[in-house]
Amino acid sequence: MIKVSDIAKKKVVELMTDDGYDAANDFVRVGVKSGGCSGLSYDLKFDKEQQEGDKVFEDNGVKIIVDKKSFLYLVGTTLEYSGGLNGTGFVFNNPNANRTCGCGESFSL
C-alpha cells in the first residue's frame, strides 16, 4: 500500500483540477523506472484508466494505481509534498530504498 500525506493530498487535488482531471474519479499513477543517479527513479502522473495488472489503492481520499512490477519497489511508501527552501515537489518516503540521491528523485535497493 502507498500512503498519501495530508499536504500531498491537497497538492494532488489542486494539480489534478488544474490539468482537467477529477480527483474523485481519476487516479495518480505511481511507478518506478530505470534511470537516475541511484539506478531507479520515481514516475508520477495522472491517469483516467487503470491497466490490466495494476494494483489500486485509496488513501486519504486519493486513488493510486501502480503497475505490478513497480509495486514491489513501492510497498510501504508515503507520498509527501515539500514546499521548503530546498525545493518544491513531491517526495517519496520509501522504506525499501537503501540509498537515495541528493534530489530524492532516484533510489536503489
Side-chain angles (χ1 to χ4, degrees):
M1 174 153 183
I2 296 175
K3 296 188 179 285
V4 180
S5 72
D6 290 338
I7 208 158
K9 173 195 174 175
K10 181 179 176 190
K11 195 63 177 178
V12 163
V13 170
E14 177 185 321
L15 291 172
M16 286 182 95
T17 302
D18 289 350
D19 286 355
Y21 290 88
D22 177 5
N25 295 310
D26 296 328
F27 303 93
V28 175
R29 180 173 290 280
V30 181
V32 172
K33 60 184 178 181
S34 295
C37 52
S38 292
L40 297 168
S41 62
Y42 298 106
D43 190 29
L44 186 68
K45 59 187 171 188
F46 303 131
D47 205 332
K48 292 185 178 283
E49 300 175 13
Q50 65 185 86
Q51 304 297 318
E52 185 175 333
D54 282 346
K55 302 233 180 236
V56 181
F57 306 98
E58 186 167 344
D59 186 62
N60 206 0
V62 176
K63 294 179 181 178
I64 300 169
I65 48 178
V66 179
D67 65 87
K68 191 186 296 185
K69 184 181 117 190
S70 296
F71 175 72
L72 299 172
Y73 297 108
L74 295 169
V75 172
T77 297
T78 300
L79 179 62
E80 308 226 16
Y81 186 82
S82 173
L85 294 174
N86 290 336
T88 300
F90 289 100
V91 177
F92 295 88
N93 287 326
N94 187 342
N96 304 304
N98 288 333
R99 186 180 61 176
T100 60
C101 68
C103 67
E105 292 183 13
S106 69
F107 69 102
S108 67
L109 299 177

